[in-house]
Amino acid sequence: MTGTMLAAVANVVRAELFKGFRKRRFYFLAGLYWVLLPAVALITATVLDHNLGGSFADQGGQIAQALQGFASPFGLARLALMAPALMSPTGYIIAVALFAGLFIGEERTQRMWKTVFSVQPARMAVLTGKVIAGMIVLAVLLGGALIVGTLAGVLGTLFLPTTFAGPWGQVAGLFGLQWLQLLAALLLAYLLVFLVRSGTLGIILVIFLPALLEGLYTVLNTLSVLRPLTRYNAVFQALRLRQAWQALPHYFFNANLYAPARHLLQPFLQSTGTPQGADLGPLGNLLGQGITLPHAAAVMAGYAVVFAAATAWLVARRDVE
Amino acid sequence: MTAIAAAGLTKRYGRVLAVDGLSFSIEPGEIVGFLGPNGAGKTTTLRMLAGLVRPSRGGCRLLDRRVPGPSLREVGTMIEEPSFYPYLSGRANLRHAAILHGGVPERRLDEVLEFVRMERAADKRVRAYSQGMRQRLALARALLWKPKVLLLDEPTNGLDPAGIAEVRAALKTVAVQGVTVLISSHILPEIEKLVERILAVDKGSLRFDGPLQGLLGAVGVNTVSYELEAIDGRALLDALADMGLEPSPHGDAGARVAVPEARAPELLSGLASKGVKVLEARRGAVSLEDAYLRLVGAEGRPS
């Protein structure tokens, strides 16, 4: 990348952040994520401590252990990472869709592409800058949640039986990994907005399309089990396609995307009494059981490369209306 | 050095040929009017020059460098309806553009806002702007980084007469500074007052390229227009037709007619000899609009 290109990318990043931080939706989302979640956790912990602390239910300090799990500084930091990944649609994908709407979708709805590409004709610089700006805003959102959660937990130590203890390095690393993996989701959102030529539809698609495709797989998988043996599915099985078909969920977008955030859920469940290795049923799928962090990172890197290449091709070639 | 050059510029959308082998070149500092009816290919041509649309064939150069390329950083554009971020103020929109482009000092924002007389409204959100204010702000944005070339598509759209005159004066000022301006407009009298040269396109093809006076000559304008009023309007129209002219009725007892310049002196005597009593005769210059409408034919309408 030449110096001129780097300067152009830096200009785009600055311009997009100038615009992005003047948008109310960012503060609204950040407010919900940073303040509401710790507030609800602290209120719940206070009620729990007040009503059950020292009671017959608190044999062996179980209440204190539970409070340490979700209302301590570490617990709230962990909750800030996990909670968005357990919503449906997830808080992460909602944030990605909103920022894609801000940085890419809006250019279409406000007919700004002709202006943006006239002012900054280096299209790859524009795309790169918009991706970096999106990642910076996501970093602020996640980093803010980590900091506010921690501070709320510190506040909680004043009136709850909680301490600062916890594997902080791990949770910080998982925040970082989750943030990196959101790059694939952001690129998918940008790609879809470009592809369907509609800001609104692109944003809706990024929330629902991966889940829709993965749901479709589940339906097909179920139907294939019910089907009688024919020469076609005999060939299908002989070619070992079935194994590949069965292994497909390990490469699903959603299962891998949220792997870092959901990684902490199992130790959290253990802290509340669930034995290690227990059959969690449908919850196991939610946790992405069998998907390791390196596997998830590699899969999401693959998605990111594909989405980035497709988006770059579209941005470089498409006529601006 | 050539400021703007197009060579065989062609754009096809499916079966529709929007621009068909357009070739022209514009020297630095020229102000050139770009005329053509709706759908003639003006905006598509401007979009190709601005690097927004890829030509199907042929190509264009700005400041002797290929488009798309770095030369586009030297270009200011207003293409079709101006677009802005509505939730930002006019000044914030300009600042965003300045940051995006790079190398624009903060004081330049005030300069361009003053230049288009938008200092007072600069801190209001753009969603509250009138069409005219948006046009002015778009012109300010196009001038922000002191471009060497301006590509303007209907820049006076939505402006009141005073605003049009101000934009005209502003464009003359920037042209004096050596900026090349290619301007399309449907307000032909404005083009007439502004440009030295005309590019006229129709159905994607170049129909005329030359100085304004050349366009008048090219459409056989050695004619002069007259507005006549007589006691008997019917007799006036008949007499003009008898003289081999093509009059059109005007008012209650009047007519408009184009007369070959050589025959102009004998018009009134000819009417008198046919017994037509002329009360009033006004001679007008042939306007660009007349010449242009003749060039693009009866179906052509200024766009």
Side-chain angles (χ1 to χ4, degrees), chain B residues 62-77:
Chain B
L62 290 174
L63 305 165
D64 280 345
R65 285 189 285 179
R66 273 187 58 198
V67 172
S71 59
L72 286 171
R73 285 182 56 79
E74 311 284 341
V75 179
T77 60

Side-chain angles (χ1 to χ4, degrees), chain B residues 19 30-31 68 72-73 98 100 119 137 154 194 196 199-200 222 228 242 265 277 281 285 289 296 302:
Chain B
V19 177
E30 273 191 284
I31 306 186
L72 286 171
R73 285 182 56 79
L100 192 60
E119 316 96 300
L137 191 65
E154 316 272 8
L194 190 65
E196 300 136 7
L199 289 172
N222 293 319
L228 302 162
D242 282 349
K277 291 178 178 163
E289 191 159 343
V296 298

Side-chain angles (χ1 to χ4, degrees), chain A residues 8 11-12 14-16 18-20 22-24 102 106-107 110-121 123 126 130 316-321, chain B residues 11 13 47 50-54 69 72-73 75 77 79-88 92-93 95-97 99-103 125 141 145:
Chain A
N11 290 337
V12 177
R14 285 176 55 220
E16 290 306 300
F18 171 82
K19 182 183 80 175
R22 276 162 183 76
K23 199 76 175 171
R24 285 191 197 131
L102 174 61
E106 189 176 76
E107 313 299 26
Q110 303 296 341
R111 295 174 59 85
M112 281 299 287
W113 278 124
K114 63 180 178 186
T115 302
V116 169
F117 286 142
S118 298
V119 175
Q120 180 49 266
R123 293 192 183 190
V126 171
K130 281 177 175 286
R317 308 252 333 154
R318 188 167 275 181
D319 288 344
V320 177
E321 291 156 15
Chain B
K11 184 65 187 180
Y13 293 103
R47 283 176 182 275
L52 299 174
V53 167
R54 294 159 60 89
L72 286 171
R73 285 182 56 79
V75 179
T77 60
I79 309 276
E80 284 189 315
E81 190 89 349
S83 55
F84 300 96
Y85 298 111
Y87 55 89
L88 295 180
N93 266 286
R95 188 168 289 128
H96 176 266
I99 299 168
L100 192 60
H101 186 274
R125 289 189 179 187
R141 184 169 57 196
W145 44 90

